[in-house]
Amino acid sequence: MDAPAFYTAFARLYDRLARAPGVGRVRRRVARALAPPPGGTVLDLGCGTGGNAAPLCRAVGPTGRYVGVDFAAGVLRVARRRLRRRQPPWRDRATFLRGDATRPPVDAERVDAACATFLAGMLREPAAAVRRWGRLVGAGGRLALANLERTTAPLARPLNPLFRVAVRAGSPGEADGSPVERLERRVAAAHAELDRITTATVRTRGAVGFLRVTAGSVRPPSAW
């Protein structure tokens, strides 16, 4: 089963996990770190069922715009259905598009900020994707990444085996080694690249060390 089919097949389960207790705090932390400009357009890469939509819409304010992009038709159906049924006050400012998050289908419009939550570990070339996102938002635009990885916090380390099981269960089949080690290599590469192409970088940890958030303002591409 390829990745889009995998996430479509488990879209409802994924939605429950994406909205589990405590996950809302992660979404709000990402929005604060991203700090999109009021009135701007914010791009949510690998948006899934739209868990970031509410905090990001609040962050850009009543004149801002949210665009979520995902490659899995099933999760987008859940996101759009939730938007129609709940009719939040920001409903008319939110759009969900199907497409490749590494090459989002928004070239014709201005994007002021972009974030990728729990996405970098899925990408075969995460650093290249971060560079493309940097060019998309342009110099001064905001970028943020949020990812999970094994914790080094002494009191939480006993939970690492459970994290390993969760990563293995939630990963589409790939043959190249341990799912956790593969995820962490990709996450490290993405965050290092974000560090390289941004200034005023925010680096935070959360969820007893499992959560890693990095955000910053993109430098002019000539300085990369």
Side-chain angles (χ1 to χ4, degrees), residues 5 18 38 41 56 73 78 84 87-88 120 147-149 185-186:
T41 294
L56 290 176
V78 173
R84 288 194 303 269
Q87 298 189 2
N147 294 98
L148 297 175
E149 57 190 2
R185 285 196 306 272
R186 293 172 176 178

Side-chain angles (χ1 to χ4, degrees), residues 34 114-116 126-127 130-131 133-134 137 141-147 187-203 213-219 224:
L34 181 61
C115 68
V130 170
R131 289 193 295 275
W133 299 336
V137 301
R142 297 286 297 172
L143 278 183
L145 298 175
N147 294 98
V187 166
H191 285 253
E193 190 66 10
L194 185 61
D195 266 336
R196 190 179 73 85
I197 71 170
T198 62
T199 60
T201 305
V202 176
R203 303 176 188 86
V213 179
T214 307
S217 297
V218 175
R219 297 190 293 155
W224 300 357

Side-chain angles (χ1 to χ4, degrees), residues 56-180:
L56 290 176
C57 281
R58 285 193 290 268
V60 294
T63 59
R65 192 160 167 258
Y66 165 92
V67 180
V69 177
D70 204 285
F71 64 0
V75 297
L76 291 176
R77 281 196 295 270
V78 173
R80 290 167 179 149
R81 189 181 306 125
R82 184 181 297 277
L83 195 63
R84 288 194 303 269
R85 288 179 178 175
R86 297 203 171 182
Q87 298 189 2
W90 41 265
R91 174 185 176 184
D92 293 337
R93 298 185 286 113
T95 304
F96 293 101
L97 303 176
R98 187 177 183 190
D100 181 351
T102 67
R103 294 177 174 83
V106 293
D107 294 339
E109 63 181 283
R110 170 68 183 173
V111 176
D112 301 287
C115 68
T117 307
F118 312 139
L119 174 64
M122 297 170 54
L123 305 179
R124 292 185 180 276
E125 297 181 341
V130 170
R131 289 193 295 275
R132 282 194 292 271
W133 299 336
R135 287 191 290 271
L136 179 64
V137 301
R142 297 286 297 172
L143 278 183
L145 298 175
N147 294 98
L148 297 175
E149 57 190 2
R150 284 173 292 187
T151 184
T152 58
L155 293 179
R157 281 180 184 169
L159 298 176
N160 278 332
L162 292 177
F163 177 72
R164 184 183 294 273
V165 170
V167 170
R168 185 179 298 114
S171 301
E174 291 187 49
D176 55 334
S178 159
V180 170

